[in-house]
Amino acid sequence: MTALDPSSPVAVVGTGTMGQGIAQVALVAGHPVRLYDAVDGRAREAADAIGARLDRLVEKDRLTGAERDAARARLVPAGTLGELADCALVVEAVVERLDVKQELFRALEDVVGDDCLLATNTSSLSVTAVGGALRVPGRFVGLHFFNPAPLLPLVEVVSGFATDPASATRAYETARAWGKTPVACADTPGFVVNRVARPFYAEALAAYEARAADPATVDAVLRESGGFRMGAFELTDLIGQDVNESVTHSVWQSFFQDVRFTPSLAQRRLVESGRLGRKSGQGWYDYRDGADRPAPHTGEPAGAPAHVVVEGDLGPAAELVALIREAGIEVRPEDGYGAGRLVLPDGGTLSLTDGQLPVSKDLVHFDLALDYRAATRIALSASRGVRPGLLSEATGLFQALGKKVSVIGDIPGMIVARTVARIIDLAFDAVAKGVAAPEDVDTAMRLGVNYPLGPFEWSRRLGDTWAYYLLADVHEWEPSGRCAPSLALHRHAEAAEDREGAAS
């Protein structure tokens, strides 16, 4: 089944920010668009607002004047649902309440034809539940756009339990015809993005609650070492703490309070205090006029070691060897087995975090980086009894490589490594349970939340067993089950080891 013909009328019910954005996308794609809102006058206001945005597109040379005028002529505010009778697609973007959405779609079924595609833009409710009371539930589908809809390319096309494959295909092809990048997924709590993204927020909050690092330091490490566009605390301030917590709570409840999705008490207290982020003036950060932005913890300048001994294979951190040489520090290679490490002149060692705590007084862990050459900050962690001078020498080594250094508390898996491993784990779990294909998960996470790599891309880069063993070690230290690797990730790691064994 192909996309809707551009001559087919499309209706959008609900004229808030998201509804207006979806209407603009359909309008620019060439469809006649009807706007409906239950509040008198809102549809007309929304049409005017969309018209103003079309004017700005002309000013930016993204539309011609003739295209704008034609689009405006195709945009019609509707006073009643009855005016949507001839529409081929109706997209709902009203309040996130199951009863409200169900009542709306029952009313729409009395108006539109049986061949009209009905879609919900819900981000947190079950598509199956929303469409469950319909007379023709097979034509019902989720079309989850991301805000702002005209700018963000991703659309999750969600098949409910009763959705006909032909309806899902038509919705998918229509989204693609509108210039979007659709991904097909099953109706599961959080769909793809809001399910797989939970650890990005959860692990930052866990580090904060464990007093391993303050929000500014966590954010700086995620950005400058992990390669994420924004840190978790600044991103939730932008989203709105109430909105982010609501999605987390919804996913947690929908998975029958699965411990992997447990909400944060610290975020709950922030919401209860009214500190909702940018929109309220305060969240994790203070956005009021004149307020200072807290700086991340950054180590004082320290001396670099004269030489470094490299033992074994550094794995994801192998690039450090070349960087150390380029910094003019002598590298002395030695044979070694297992996980690699850097040995400093006084006998202390540096190793990439493996999920264990750095309990030895002679050991310092460093965090994962997306790209050790491009990273501008590295996090270090050591036990409270670490030998005096070792942490300073480790700091000096990374400073000699041009990196800022943040020393954090001794939390298993640190910040970036733990976050990335959990994202990979939830992605494998989602695919194993039929939520989406691996390539669609990668696309969704790159386009929906701007991750530098998709989870499966990360897994291939880091090694097929890396995430499993890191999470298994984290789980030993924190046996709540929240970080326990999934069966899907275990099977993936086991299969990789079998392949390696057969090849050797």
Side-chain angles (χ1 to χ4, degrees):
M1 184 169 287
T2 58
L4 293 176
D5 189 276
S7 64
S8 302
V10 171
V12 177
V13 179
T15 58
T17 301
M18 184 57 77
Q20 290 182 32
I22 296 169
Q24 181 179 328
V25 170
L27 194 65
V28 171
H31 290 271
V33 174
R34 315 273 170 77
L35 286 173
Y36 175 80
D37 197 290
V39 179
D40 287 342
R42 287 269 180 88
R44 169 50 62 190
E45 292 172 3
D48 292 341
I50 294 170
R53 284 198 290 273
L54 295 177
D55 288 339
R56 289 194 289 274
L57 291 178
V58 172
E59 293 169 3
K60 296 177 181 179
D61 293 326
R62 295 178 183 173
L63 278 182
T64 66
E67 289 170 334
R68 173 201 56 200
D69 294 342
R72 278 181 165 169
R74 295 194 302 271
L75 182 60
V76 178
T80 67
L81 285 179
E83 296 175 49
L84 314 183
D86 64 338
C87 287
L89 167 64
V90 180
V91 184
E92 163 272 317
V94 302
V95 64
E96 286 285 272
R97 278 181 47 187
L98 180 61
D99 58 336
V100 173
K101 292 180 187 290
Q102 287 179 327
E103 182 180 355
L104 169 63
F105 282 109
R106 280 194 292 263
L108 281 168
E109 271 202 315
D110 291 336
V111 171
V112 300
D114 286 355
D115 59 346
C116 175
L117 192 63
L118 298 178
T120 175
N121 184 59
T122 185
S123 61
S124 60
L125 298 176
S126 162
V127 170
T128 301
V130 176
L134 294 182
R135 177 173 48 81
V136 188
R139 43 90 169 267
F140 189 76
V141 67
L143 275 179
H144 180 215
F145 289 78
F146 287 73
N147 194 28
L151 297 180
L152 294 186
L154 183 68
V155 177
E156 292 177 315
V157 181
V158 187
S159 292
F161 189 79
T163 302
D164 287 338
S167 298
T169 299
R170 170 152 284 188
Y172 183 98
E173 294 299 335
T174 297
R176 186 158 63 177
W178 291 358
K180 297 300 179 182
T181 302
V183 296
C185 63
D187 182 22
T188 185
F191 310 140
V192 175
V193 171
N194 280 327
R195 173 178 177 151
V196 178
R198 291 353 287 163
F200 181 72
Y201 314 108
E203 297 314 313
L205 288 160
Y208 170 78
E209 291 176 329
R211 296 189 155 189
D214 60 276
T217 300
V218 172
D219 281 352
V221 171
L222 286 169
R223 287 193 316 268
E224 300 171 39
S225 184
F228 292 95
R229 185 167 297 185
M230 298 180 74
F233 292 100
E234 58 189 343
L235 180 55
T236 53
D237 268 356
L238 178 63
I239 295 169
Q241 297 300 332
D242 53 339
V243 174
N244 182 260
E245 194 218 20
S246 176
V247 172
T248 298
H249 196 271
S250 174
V251 171
W252 175 62
Q253 289 283 23
S254 297
F255 276 114
F256 307 106
Q257 300 185 358
D258 186 329
V259 68
R260 295 175 301 167
F261 302 101
T262 302
S264 162
L265 181 59
Q267 188 175 41
R268 176 89 292 261
R269 293 292 180 258
L270 198 71
V271 172
E272 289 174 340
S273 73
R275 297 188 176 192
L276 307 182
R278 289 180 179 271
K279 63 185 177 183
S280 69
Q282 285 181 286
W284 293 111
Y285 301 104
D286 192 337
Y287 301 94
R288 295 172 296 181
D289 292 342
D292 292 328
R293 179 72 175 258
H297 172 78
T298 302
E300 295 295 327
H307 69 267
V308 173
V309 176
V310 179
E311 294 184 354
D313 182 3
L314 295 180
E319 179 70 9
L320 287 176
V321 178
L323 295 178
I324 293 169
R325 285 198 177 100
E326 291 168 16
I329 299 171
E330 181 186 356
V331 174
R332 301 176 181 176
E334 285 194 6
D335 292 335
Y337 299 97
R341 62 179 188 163
L342 303 172
V343 183
L344 301 178
D346 67 352
T349 60
L350 266 169
S351 66
L352 175 62
T353 180
D354 58 0
Q356 297 279 348
L357 281 181
V359 293
S360 169
K361 65 180 181 179
D362 295 317
L363 174 64
V364 174
H365 278 164
F366 59 89
D367 206 350
L368 180 69
L370 173 69
D371 180 341
Y372 282 97
R373 183 173 292 277
T376 57
R377 183 179 299 271
I378 295 293
L380 301 181
S381 177
S383 70
R384 296 176 186 179
V386 66
R387 181 159 44 82
L390 176 56
L391 199 52
S392 176
E393 195 171 22
T395 297
L397 172 63
F398 280 102
Q399 287 174 341
L401 308 186
K403 318 298 183 187
K404 296 176 182 177
V405 174
S406 292
V407 178
I408 68 170
D410 53 347
I411 182 172
M414 300 186 70
I415 295 172
V416 179
R418 180 169 164 151
T419 298
V420 170
R422 286 210 61 219
I423 289 170
I424 289 171
D425 182 54
L426 289 190
F428 271 94
D429 183 59
V431 169
K433 292 175 178 174
V435 175
E439 57 273 18
D440 278 349
V441 173
D442 277 354
T443 297
M445 302 315 292
R446 282 188 287 99
L447 298 184
V449 278
N450 289 311
Y451 283 3
L453 293 174
F456 292 93
E457 292 174 305
W458 245 318
S459 180
R460 289 190 292 272
R461 176 184 286 200
L462 296 170
D464 289 324
T465 63
W466 177 86
Y468 172 76
Y469 283 112
L470 185 134
L471 290 178
D473 283 342
V474 171
H475 177 59
E476 283 189 8
W477 289 96
E478 299 180 10
S480 67
R482 195 172 67 83
C483 292
S486 66
L487 178 60
L489 190 63
H490 171 79
R491 286 172 171 164
H492 176 74
E494 187 176 50
E497 290 182 333
D498 288 345
R499 290 193 300 271
E500 290 176 5
S504 61

